[in-house]
Amino acid sequence: MSAAQLPISRFGHVELEDMPEDLRVRIQAVAERSGFVPNVFRALARRPAELRAFLDYHDALMEKSDGLTKAERELVVVATSGANHCTYCVVAHGAILRVRDKDPEIADRVATNPYGVELDARRRAIVDLALLIATDSSALTEAELDDARAAGLTDDEIWDVGAITALFAMSNRLAHLTALRPNPEFFLMGRIPRG
């Protein structure tokens, strides 16, 4: 069976036109910007109240205009999702990171070798903090927070790294539960300049 023939989710999905109106309007706006409806919305729409809560928390963390840049926020998602072996989130957010960072290689490097990828001090601190919180959050001490501060992160930015990591650790687990399949469109985004 080809990837195109695989189900979007092992629990089924909801097409945009069949979603409650408020979700349809919200997700249509995403589809207009990207050119397609991300499968995560189609899968999670089976449980509208949960999708609304997910979208609200996602937007509160990922759409902020202060603190971490949008590319840095996506860097957290890719590092977290790579550590959690979440194909959907690595593919989808890797695409967004490539677009926002204008670097066709960054997402693959962070997802596959997060401890070895060459990053400036600020990004290294962001990735290291996200990885610790994603893989062994009980080991977090003041020393790691001091390292992040020394690299230039504010306490609000450190909070955002932790909150984004936590949200996407949950998202990674839902993607595993549902066997969520990435949209084919994500694989090429940010790799080839738009013509």
Side-chain angles (χ1 to χ4, degrees):
M1 185 180 309
S2 75
Q5 296 170 316
L6 292 172
I8 289 170
S9 162
R10 65 170 49 116
F11 293 97
H13 67 277
V14 178
E15 293 298 343
L16 184 63
E17 60 270 12
D18 298 323
M19 293 179 194
E21 183 178 1
D22 65 310
L23 288 174
R24 188 171 55 249
V25 168
R26 197 166 181 178
I27 293 167
Q28 181 63 43
V30 174
E32 287 173 7
R33 285 191 309 271
S34 65
F36 61 96
V37 176
N39 285 344
V40 65
F41 302 137
R42 297 165 74 197
L44 295 182
R46 291 186 69 252
R47 300 183 71 150
E50 293 172 32
L51 177 55
R52 287 182 190 100
F54 176 82
L55 289 170
D56 287 345
Y57 197 43
H58 173 278
D59 291 354
L61 292 172
M62 301 300 287
E63 299 301 325
K64 291 171 72 170
S65 59
D66 59 330
L68 299 175
T69 67
K70 289 193 177 199
E72 288 171 338
R73 292 172 195 280
E74 294 298 337
L75 185 67
V76 173
V77 178
V78 171
T80 299
S81 300
N84 288 321
H85 311 289
C86 180
T87 301
Y88 183 88
C89 293
V90 166
V91 171
H93 289 274
I96 298 167
L97 175 57
R98 288 190 301 271
V99 168
R100 291 200 166 148
D101 207 50
K102 297 178 181 33
D103 181 342
E105 298 178 11
I106 185 71
D108 296 330
R109 291 177 188 266
V110 170
T112 60
N113 188 12
Y115 298 101
V117 64
E118 292 183 20
L119 300 167
D120 64 38
R122 179 179 170 85
R123 285 182 166 212
R124 176 83 267 150
I126 289 169
V127 168
D128 288 349
L129 187 57
L131 291 170
L132 179 61
I133 295 167
T135 62
D136 193 10
S137 60
S138 66
L140 179 67
T141 68
E142 204 62 36
E144 287 81 24
L145 300 179
D146 288 343
D147 289 346
R149 290 179 186 113
L153 293 168
T154 67
D155 282 356
D156 280 343
E157 290 171 332
I158 290 169
W159 181 287
D160 283 344
V161 170
I164 293 165
T165 300
L167 174 65
F168 280 92
M170 184 268 305
S171 180
N172 298 156
R173 281 145 182 84
L174 281 173
H176 290 146
L177 172 69
T178 61
L180 189 57
R181 184 171 47 87
N183 300 69
E185 294 90 344
F186 281 129
F187 288 95
L188 293 180
M189 283 176 60
R191 294 188 192 279
I192 302 169
R194 286 185 169 179

